[in-house]
Amino acid sequence: MNKKLKTEAVDHLFEAILTLKNVEECYTFFEDVCTVNEVLSISQRYEVARMLRNKNTYLEIAEKTGASTATISRVNRSLNYGNDGYDMVFERLEEKD
């Protein structure tokens, strides 16, 4: 875990997020907390990660998501050398289906 990220304020934010019960509540909360562009950027990175995990090419990902190759590379680096956060979520979603 990144020591710069781990703060009491971030803990409070994550605890607040964990209280959300459904997608509609997420929309309500994140529209207040983030700008539209911030939410769209986060969702784009998540979609890039999903597509990389499904073995899509950079070209396919760029065409579908509009992400730059720099963004795709950054997400790919997180998938390969990060904290396995994406994988944890993907596995939980697969179990849910």
Side-chain angles (χ1 to χ4, degrees):
M1 179 181 319
N2 186 329
K3 291 180 182 174
K4 292 179 184 177
L5 180 63
K6 178 81 171 121
T7 67
E8 187 176 350
V10 174
D11 284 350
H12 291 161
L13 173 64
F14 290 164
E15 288 167 8
I17 291 168
L18 289 170
T19 69
L20 301 173
K21 293 182 172 74
N22 56 47
V23 172
E24 196 56 43
E25 286 187 3
C26 288
Y27 274 102
T28 300
F29 180 74
F30 280 94
E31 283 183 44
D32 284 349
V33 173
C34 301
T35 65
V36 170
N37 284 338
E38 289 168 335
V39 174
L40 292 175
S41 292
I42 293 168
S43 66
Q44 181 187 62
R45 288 192 293 273
Y46 181 80
E47 186 65 11
V48 167
R50 190 187 66 74
M51 292 181 75
L52 283 167
R53 194 165 191 257
N54 289 332
K55 308 293 186 210
N56 291 89
T57 66
Y58 274 37
L59 181 59
E60 291 169 331
I61 295 167
E63 287 176 353
K64 181 164 192 283
T65 67
S68 68
T69 55
T71 296
I72 298 167
S73 292
R74 192 168 41 252
V75 172
N76 194 41
R77 200 167 32 256
S78 291
L79 284 169
N80 291 318
Y81 305 108
N83 294 318
D84 297 325
Y86 282 117
D87 288 333
M88 175 181 61
V89 169
F90 292 138
E91 287 168 11
R92 288 180 183 171
L93 287 170
E94 287 171 3
E95 290 169 5
K96 193 175 166 183
D97 288 339

